[in-house]
């Protein structure tokens, strides 16, 4: 009984120590967009990579969609993603005195399935696209077209949104963490070559006035942050030498007790 009591105590201590060694440490990291641009139906061969982002339908019934991508290369190896959230800042909404005024709507972010070029087009509606830049007609101007102008759902971007948020006036908006966003980050972490970012689409592109301007990494004066991706993850440390020694000793002691009992 005395031997078994010592063994029980030793094993209990070993397992407690092992649990402490295996405990995951949580951390949060925020990524800013490293590339962003807009697709503008009214100027289908222009790119808007050097100005604010635009998404939704303007008061002239022209659709726009925004693209943005994050570089996750600084994520620690072995990180287990537990939460992910995307944030954007609306910097401008339609003039209430023009046409029907602003219309509030849901905006969804969809995971992009193909590559695209950022470009440097400026002005409110962009500039003639340089080779490789994304436009309404082509994801790489002069080389590769979208499945459909503006991007084809289910081909150029995912068939289902990763997250949806209701957007109204000027201010900050978040696309809160959910399993789809977590899955996106995990997939990009596992295979960076497939990280093409997101496309932001209004869920009511028929209604004029849903268009919004969002802050980009080219935002004048840096008064508003570009698209942000906030990731919470955990790290499970490797067992220490001391921990492995404790478990080894416990295992040997257990074998000895078993011999004595038999």
């Amino acid at each position: 009984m005395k031997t078994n009591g010592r063994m029980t105590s030793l094993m209990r201590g070993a397992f407690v120590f092992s649990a402490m060694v295996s405990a995951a440490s949580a951390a949060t990291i925020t990524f800013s967009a490293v590339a962003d641009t807009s697709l503008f139906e009214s100027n289908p061969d222009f790119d808007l990579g050097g100005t604010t982002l635009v998404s939704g339908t303007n008061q002239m019934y022209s659709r726009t969609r925004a693209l943005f991508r994050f570089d996750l290369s600084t994520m620690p190896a072995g990180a287990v993603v537990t939460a992910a959230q995307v944030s954007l800042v609306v910097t401008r909404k339609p003039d209430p005195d023009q046409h029907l005024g602003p219309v509030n709507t849901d905006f969804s972010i969809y995971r992009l399935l193909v590559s695209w070029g950022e470009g440097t087009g400026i002005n409110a509606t962009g500039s003639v696209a340089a080779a490789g830049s994304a436009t309404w007609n082509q994801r790489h101007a002069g080389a590769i077209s979208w499945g459909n102008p503006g991007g084809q759902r289910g081909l150029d971007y995912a068939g289902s949104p990763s997250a949806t948020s209701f957007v109204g006036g000027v201010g900050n908006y978040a696309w809160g963490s959910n399993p789809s966003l977590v899955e996106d980050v995990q997939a990009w972490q596992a295979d960076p070559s497939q990280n093409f970012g997101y496309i932001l689409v209004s869920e009511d592109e028929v209604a004029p006035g849903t268009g919004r301007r969002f802050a980009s990494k080219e935002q004048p004066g840096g008064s508003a942050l570009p698209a942000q991706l906030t990731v919470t993850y955990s790290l499970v440390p490797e067992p220490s030498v001391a921990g492995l020694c404790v478990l080894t000793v416990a295992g040997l002691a257990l074998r000895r007790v078993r011999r004595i009992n038999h």
Side-chain angles (χ1 to χ4, degrees):
M1 293 296 293
K2 185 175 182 180
T3 301
N4 287 340
R6 289 177 179 174
M7 186 61 224
T8 300
S9 178
L10 178 60
M11 290 300 294
R12 184 182 298 115
F15 286 123
V16 169
F17 187 86
S18 177
M20 292 173 63
V21 169
S22 299
S25 57
T28 298
I29 185 171
T30 297
F31 302 93
S32 291
V34 294
D36 52 20
T37 192
S38 303
L39 313 178
F40 199 178
E41 187 176 29
S42 287
N43 292 323
D45 296 315
F46 280 28
D47 86 74
L48 284 77
T51 185
T52 54
L53 296 179
V54 191
S55 186
T57 302
N58 66 20
Q59 292 166 308
M60 300 303 293
Y61 293 88
S62 180
R63 293 174 294 168
T64 57
R65 295 172 176 178
L67 315 177
F68 48 90
R69 181 174 60 81
F70 307 98
D71 179 3
L72 307 183
S73 60
T74 56
M75 281 277 287
V80 178
V81 179
T82 57
Q85 174 178 291
V86 172
S87 302
L88 289 162
V89 180
V90 173
T91 60
R92 186 176 176 183
K93 64 179 182 178
D95 189 335
D97 296 326
Q98 292 184 4
H99 305 286
L100 300 177
V103 175
N104 301 334
T105 184
D106 284 333
F107 278 79
S108 295
I109 53 174
Y110 295 79
R111 180 167 53 88
L112 281 157
L113 306 177
V114 294
S115 62
W116 50 277
E118 180 180 19
T120 57
I122 57 174
N123 303 318
T125 59
S127 309
V128 176
S133 302
T135 69
W136 183 263
N137 285 334
Q138 296 185 296
R139 55 190 178 93
H140 292 287
I144 309 174
S145 297
W146 298 103
N148 280 327
Q152 182 175 332
R153 184 170 175 170
L155 179 63
D156 297 316
Y157 59 92
S160 300
S162 294
T164 301
S165 184
F166 186 75
V167 174
V170 171
N172 300 314
Y173 293 88
W175 283 255
S177 184
N178 62 48
S180 294
L181 287 176
V182 170
E183 183 179 344
D184 291 343
V185 176
Q186 289 176 327
W188 293 337
Q189 183 185 14
D191 187 359
S193 69
Q194 296 303 303
N195 177 4
F196 306 119
Y198 290 112
I199 182 169
L200 176 69
V201 181
S202 165
E203 292 297 343
D204 187 2
E205 291 188 316
V206 175
T210 62
R212 297 291 188 274
R213 285 199 174 266
F214 297 84
S216 72
K217 63 188 188 67
E218 291 83 16
Q219 184 69 23
S223 56
L225 293 174
Q228 305 281 296
L229 172 64
T230 301
V231 178
T232 300
Y233 63 89
S234 61
L235 290 174
V236 179
E238 294 292 332
S240 67
V241 174
L244 292 175
C245 288
V246 169
L247 293 177
T248 300
V249 170
L252 292 173
L254 179 59
R255 290 176 61 186
R256 182 178 178 183
V257 169
R258 285 175 176 171
R259 287 199 198 99
I260 295 173
N261 290 339
H262 286 80

